[in-house]
Amino acid sequence: MATRASERSAEPMRIGVDEQGGLPLPWLGPAMQHAQALERSHALLLQGPAGAGHLEFAGLLAQAWLCEAPGRAGRGAMPCGRCASCHLVRTRSHPDLLLVLPDAWRARLGWLGDDEAGAKPDAKPSRDIRVEQVRQAIDWSHQTSGRGRGKLMLLHPADALNGPSANALLKTLEEPAAGLRLLLSSTDPERLLPTLRSRCQRLKLDLPDDAAATAWLQARGLDEPAPLLALASGSPLEALAWGEEGITPGWLAELPQRVAAGDASAFSGRPLPRAIDLLLKLAHDLMAQAAGGAPRFYIASRWPPPADMAGLVAWQRALLRAARHDEHPWNAALLVESLVTQATVLWPKAAAGRAPRNMPPLHSAR
Ligand SMILES: [Zn+2]
């Protein structure tokens, strides 16, 4: 549901293994073994659920492909972490590795200085991979390899390729320059041009299991990770991002009742896309509840009585409409307030603007 789940700015992004061979994320190891079996492919499509660590994995794979001491100390498919090339990948200064990301992603990661490829300094950073970036990447691919182990172009996320940039890339995917490999990452490969997809070998990236995700989050100071993990559909990266935005298990527990009571204050100060994401997930769970099912995102919440299904469908439509236009909010706070007010009519027996009779009193947020 959350298409922006992995657009986060939690911990600083780590590219590749460190000097001791430590992985940027502990669950990336198995996919590295699978990648080794695809060694001959010149184009790889890395796919998996949002928040699985696509960019971290792509950086790890890039480091392994370019490593100048592969297999050192019996590390198998892993990069050595210590050679000059591994160091250059880690610092994003390897001459044979090109990271092609939307400007909005590079801004969030603090990488804007890396490559100015036609970006307009005053404009809002683009969420697309621009055709100018792809053209510049193709020019780069025809230059001689700096360190003689081939070149690697990483496009992340490939879903951000718009029509012109995808078309510009097609010929390079068909007939790449000698020694060039391409790595595309995607959380939703079906959104890519079929002609792009069909030219890539696929590699699947999985989320860690609950136990591993829980341990990783606890090591980062989240004492009770389960409700945040559920909100994040099992992605520990996304759960951590929610935690860093001040979302706590207690806050999540109260949200359904606060929304049912028309209380929009829970969302004040939150970016509009995040507020709408929280509301869409709530709409999903309210539908599950109305149909007699269990919630998926707000697993430990106290719930208002089941809401009117027809009204829920209409509310969800309003939320989806708002989500499509969240780049141009005329007034984000008013929009969220209006969406929350619309939710109160889903419980016709409750007095307008007040909690249904059988609700316990609400505590203030956090
Ligand atoms: Zn190395």
Side-chain angles (χ1 to χ4, degrees), residues 67-69 79-83 86:
C67 177
E68 288 162 9
C80 80
R82 294 184 198 155
C83 71
C86 279

Side-chain angles (χ1 to χ4, degrees), residues 5 12 31 95 108 135 156 159 166 173 196 263 270 316:
R108 259 192 307 277
R135 290 197 186 117
H156 174 86
D159 317 346
L173 266 179
L196 276 187
D263 173 9
R270 299 196 185 282
Q316 189 187 44

Side-chain angles (χ1 to χ4, degrees), residues 59-201:
L60 186 60
L61 198 53
Q63 198 183 33
W65 282 349
L66 295 169
C67 177
E68 288 162 9
R72 179 192 275 182
R75 295 182 49 75
M78 295 294 173
C80 80
R82 294 184 198 155
C83 71
S85 174
C86 279
H87 176 74
L88 289 167
V89 168
R90 206 157 40 232
T91 54
R92 303 194 313 281
S93 45
H94 198 297
D96 298 328
L97 172 61
L98 188 66
L99 304 171
V100 185
L101 276 70
D103 296 330
W105 279 73
R106 293 192 297 123
R108 259 192 307 277
L109 292 165
W111 293 0
L112 266 184
D114 282 12
D115 157 37
E116 296 307 334
K120 298 180 189 80
D122 299 329
K124 187 167 182 173
S126 172
R127 292 170 118 182
D128 290 352
I129 293 178
R130 293 171 289 108
V131 68
E132 295 86 355
Q133 287 177 286
V134 172
R135 290 197 186 117
Q136 198 183 58
I138 293 169
D139 288 347
W140 168 88
S141 76
H142 290 288
Q143 294 160 16
T144 313
S145 163
R147 297 184 68 88
R149 293 187 68 88
K151 307 184 77 155
L152 178 63
M153 186 193 298
L154 164 61
L155 296 115
H156 174 86
D159 317 346
L161 287 161
N162 57 31
S165 46
N167 279 314
L169 186 68
L170 265 181
K171 194 167 179 311
T172 299
L173 266 179
E174 245 166 43
E175 300 169 35
L180 175 70
R181 298 169 102 174
L182 293 106
L183 184 51
L184 286 73
S185 79
S186 175
T187 55
D188 191 1
E190 300 314 306
R191 281 174 58 194
L192 299 178
L193 279 185
T195 39
L196 276 187
R197 276 201 311 267
S198 65
R199 283 163 176 77
C200 297
Q201 263 191 300

